[in-house]
Amino acid sequence: MTPAMKIKGSEALIKSLLEEGADTLFGYIGGAIMPVYDALYDYSDRMKHYLMRHEQGAIHATQAYSRVTGKTGVCFATSGPGATNIVTGLADAQLDSTPLICITGQVHSALLGTDAFQEQDMISISMPVTKWNFQITKPEEIGPAIAKAFYVAGSGRPGPVLIDFTKDAQMAELEFSYEKCTGIRSYFPIPKIDHNQAQEAATLINNCQKPLILAGHGTKISGAQQLLLSFAEKTGIPVSNTLLGLSGFPQEHPLYVGMLGMHGNYGPNIKTNDADLLIAIGMRFDDRVTGDLSRYAINAKVIHIDIDKSELSKNVKADIPILADARQALDTLLPLVQERKHDAWLKEFKECQRIENEVVVHNQCYPEGSDPHMGEVARLISEMTHGEAIIVTDVGQHQMITARYYRFAPTSNFITSGGLGTMGFGLPAAFGAAVGAPHKQVIAVIGDGGFQMTIQELGSYFQHKIPVKIILLNNNFLGMVRQWQEMFFNKRYSYTEMINPDFIAIAKGYHIPGRKITDRSDLPAALQELLNEPGTRLLEIVVRKEENVMPMVPAGESVSNIRLT
């Protein structure tokens, strides 16, 4: 506990953040949070602040920073529109289990409820999209609120917290001291594993014939990657990843059978209904993974491991629900399971991969003709970086293509918006990832639609000299929606075609060098040049306009009805 000292509330906030080890901030200044920024001026040697160009950009940068560092990120915004602009990021962080704290300025406490200038009830607005929120109206509340915020955001299933900070509380003085939060009554973030359930699960695992591991984001959050590898190798069970679970299991491993989901690999999707046991670890059976629930895992027993009790049997009934941290659960199960092999079962996945390679992969990654294809771009990036880069994407066709064809090494990371599917995520998120991992190569893969939603963040790159390689895949369409219109709406392309600006000229306006290519023959050299040049660079690749991402499980269909063409 720090000794008491008399300071203003704004400085108490900065000191509280430093006590929690937060030395990096993303934000956008405004009137209601100005006292905090004034206090921050005196701490610039101990705390780095990155001025973004929009509050949404600030929170997406914070999300990615948190996901590459494992720390709880911190974001500042002012009241009113500044605060409401971060709500999308809060919802995104909530669905993707990202620990962060947003501190928003608020009007003077005497004006609360009067519809004062730039007043919004952020406690009510943010309640559905935060793990916890609180409004500070008295300076004495600052230390305890920040301590609790860090504890809640980072413990158990991580998530976002919002602290709303009235202007008078920022300016008032207090006798400040700080004590970290180590527990909250009735909140038990790390459940104790039920060893009887673990033994029951081991019995199923030891006697199954066609098991499949579904490894999600929770395996990465808990740091269970090595245990997952050991568990899979001992049991001989094939492993598939969810979208956010990518990079959590080595993709060159013989037990890895691909990505689950609507645009995932043929094998893990179609074989889900042949499996007699599903072992779901740190994933929530999202509808993009399950398709029609009434026709999902029809022959399988289900072991579901999750730290969040509300996820167990929420979508798919678990025969053995294990409420536990993924690392703790795997550590408990590992000595209980037997060494086994499932060679015949694995051969079925290999045959599925052969079919997918022949029908889909070859055409997407090794196309003919002069038009660049998205799949070829992803394949080349993967080969040139040996799968070791931090890959950040926006949302759309390019996201699914990159997830499918970038071969993530165990030392890499994949940062994308999963549960909310937020267009505009990619550019600011890549900024935050590069801040959090300055010694890693960060590559942003973005579509022309999402790029224009947060394009102003190029100014943040220029001001702060953050080196990211930006690959803009431009098909002059809102590609994913266009694909659905083609497949399910008789090619009625209603308001999905984009008349785009000169992206290279815009980048030049932000002093960021750029290059545009339209011919496949230029692709390898242009990508290699991009990766070799220092600093931030933009490469715009004009790809085939009506390229589709396949395979695809149509919405509401069974995973058994996955389409290859």
Side-chain angles (χ1 to χ4, degrees):
M1 183 173 179
T2 57
M5 61 186 80
K6 194 163 188 177
I7 56 175
K8 287 185 177 180
S10 54
E11 186 178 3
L13 172 67
I14 304 303
K15 285 185 171 292
S16 297
L17 295 175
L18 287 169
E19 288 282 349
E20 294 289 347
D23 58 5
T24 303
L25 308 171
F26 304 87
Y28 200 92
I29 191 170
I33 201 166
M34 201 176 296
V36 169
Y37 274 86
D38 184 65
L40 185 60
Y41 189 87
D42 294 325
Y43 287 83
S44 59
D45 59 331
R46 299 173 61 188
M47 185 171 283
K48 177 67 175 176
H49 178 277
Y50 293 90
L51 176 65
M52 306 302 287
R53 294 303 183 265
H54 192 281
E55 291 87 359
Q56 184 177 347
I59 191 167
H60 290 330
T62 307
Q63 289 175 260
Y65 173 84
S66 173
R67 283 165 64 175
V68 300
T69 63
K71 298 179 180 180
T72 297
V74 182
C75 171
F76 285 173
T78 194
S79 65
T84 58
N85 280 341
I86 65 168
V87 172
T88 296
L90 290 172
D92 198 293
Q94 178 87 326
L95 282 169
D96 288 352
S97 304
T98 304
L100 58 87
I101 296 169
C102 288
I103 298 167
T104 53
Q106 184 55 278
V107 300
H108 194 288
S109 57
L111 296 174
L112 292 172
T114 69
D115 292 331
F117 177 68
Q118 292 193 334
E119 181 201 357
Q120 279 295 315
D121 181 0
M122 286 307 298
I123 298 303
S124 297
I125 289 172
S126 65
M127 191 172 293
V129 292
T130 53
K131 194 174 176 186
W132 180 63
N133 63 16
F134 185 75
Q135 186 175 72
I136 297 173
T137 59
K138 299 175 183 178
E140 294 76 21
E141 297 170 331
I142 296 167
I146 295 301
K148 183 176 179 179
F150 272 90
Y151 182 73
V152 170
S155 61
R157 179 181 178 177
V161 168
L162 179 128
I163 301 293
D164 202 39
F165 198 0
T166 63
K167 197 167 185 179
D168 53 316
Q170 297 175 44
M171 300 176 71
E173 290 190 337
L174 73 153
E175 288 287 339
F176 173 75
S177 61
Y178 195 80
E179 184 174 359
K180 288 191 176 185
C181 179
T182 57
I184 301 170
R185 188 176 65 182
S186 301
Y187 172 57
F188 307 102
I190 305 296
K192 292 183 179 179
I193 191 168
D194 185 324
H195 286 271
N196 290 329
Q197 286 181 325
Q199 186 59 65
E200 289 177 28
T203 300
L204 276 183
I205 292 165
N206 292 336
N207 290 283
C208 62
Q209 301 304 314
K210 292 185 173 184
L212 177 61
I213 293 171
L214 319 179
H217 193 199
T219 59
K220 293 166 62 177
I221 293 172
S222 67
Q225 295 96 319
Q226 189 56 50
L227 276 170
L228 174 62
L229 178 62
S230 299
F231 178 82
E233 288 181 336
K234 184 175 182 181
T235 60
I237 299 176
V239 178
S240 57
N241 278 135
T242 65
L243 179 70
L244 292 183
L246 291 173
S247 75
F249 191 86
Q251 294 192 340
E252 302 305 326
H253 197 282
L255 289 173
Y256 183 70
V257 294
M259 182 177 75
L260 295 159
M262 179 175 280
H263 292 291
N265 293 105
Y266 185 52
N269 276 299
I270 203 166
K271 290 299 172 185
T272 296
N273 280 353
D274 293 339
D276 63 0
L277 179 64
L278 295 184
I279 306 168
I281 308 171
M283 55 87 73
R284 55 191 181 87
F285 287 110
D286 178 83
D287 63 291
R288 290 296 173 101
V289 164
T290 65
D292 181 2
L293 283 168
S294 68
R295 294 180 284 170
Y296 180 76
I298 53 178
N299 297 307
K301 296 286 188 181
V302 176
I303 298 169
H304 191 179
I305 299 167
D306 205 284
I307 199 169
D308 184 349
K309 187 176 182 179
S310 70
E311 295 294 350
L312 298 175
S313 295
K314 182 177 80 175
N315 296 325
V316 173
K317 187 181 184 305
D319 295 278
I320 302 179
I322 298 179
L323 180 62
D325 172 76
R327 183 166 56 180
Q328 178 194 27
L330 287 170
D331 192 45
T332 302
L333 284 170
L334 195 56
L336 302 178
V337 296
Q338 299 170 0
E339 290 193 19
R340 299 186 67 195
K341 292 186 181 298
H342 297 279
D343 293 340
W345 177 230
L346 277 168
K347 282 182 181 178
E348 294 185 34
F349 284 95
K350 289 179 181 177
E351 175 61 14
C352 288
Q353 187 61 60
R354 184 195 66 77
I355 294 169
E356 184 176 346
N357 286 340
E358 184 178 297
V359 178
V360 179
V361 177
H362 183 78
N363 293 331
Q364 290 187 343
C365 292
Y366 301 91
E368 296 180 353
S370 61
D371 291 338
H373 283 227
M374 292 182 287
E376 184 176 28
V377 174
R379 174 183 66 81
L380 288 170
I381 300 168
S382 182
E383 291 171 359
M384 291 175 179
T385 61
H386 308 291
E388 295 177 347
I390 294 175
I391 301 295
V392 184
T393 76
D394 209 85
V395 170
Q397 286 183 313
H398 69 277
Q399 174 193 34
M400 294 296 121
I401 285 284
T402 304
R404 284 180 52 77
Y405 298 124
Y406 191 89
R407 303 294 290 177
F408 295 93
T411 54
S412 65
N413 205 337
F414 183 52
I415 309 296
T416 195
S417 171
L420 197 64
T422 304
M423 288 182 67
F425 176 87
L427 191 60
F431 182 101
V435 169
H439 303 299
K440 294 281 290 184
Q441 184 162 60
V442 177
I443 300 173
V445 183
I446 308 175
D448 49 310
F451 189 59
Q452 291 178 84
M453 287 192 169
T454 48
I455 196 170
Q456 70 278 355
E457 296 306 337
L458 290 173
S460 304
Y461 281 92
F462 169 60
Q463 178 170 347
H464 296 289
K465 311 301 181 193
I466 300 300
V468 169
K469 310 308 178 191
I470 304 165
I471 297 174
L472 174 60
L473 298 181
N474 180 5
N475 57 14
N476 292 284
F477 265 117
L478 296 174
M480 187 63 83
V481 183
R482 184 215 57 77
Q483 177 170 335
W484 281 51
Q485 288 175 332
E486 176 187 334
M487 297 176 70
F488 310 118
F489 292 87
N490 299 315
K491 293 189 176 182
R492 290 163 59 89
Y493 296 156
S494 180
Y495 300 101
T496 46
E497 187 166 9
M498 305 281 283
I499 305 300
N500 285 322
D502 185 337
F503 292 115
I504 303 304
I506 292 172
K508 185 178 180 181
Y510 286 106
H511 305 280
I512 293 173
R515 179 182 175 185
K516 178 178 181 177
I517 65 167
T518 59
D519 195 290
R520 279 188 61 229
S521 62
D522 297 324
L523 188 56
L527 284 170
Q528 195 63 67
E529 178 185 286
L530 176 79
L531 298 175
N532 291 343
E533 290 293 321
T536 301
R537 294 289 187 277
L538 170 66
L539 176 61
E540 178 187 358
I541 304 170
V542 180
V543 295
R544 184 183 171 195
K545 286 194 72 170
E546 295 181 88
E547 181 180 359
N548 289 339
V549 186
M550 303 304 285
M552 181 178 185
V553 180
E557 276 287 355
S558 166
V559 290
S560 295
N561 294 337
I562 186 170
R563 292 174 54 174
L564 291 172
T565 59

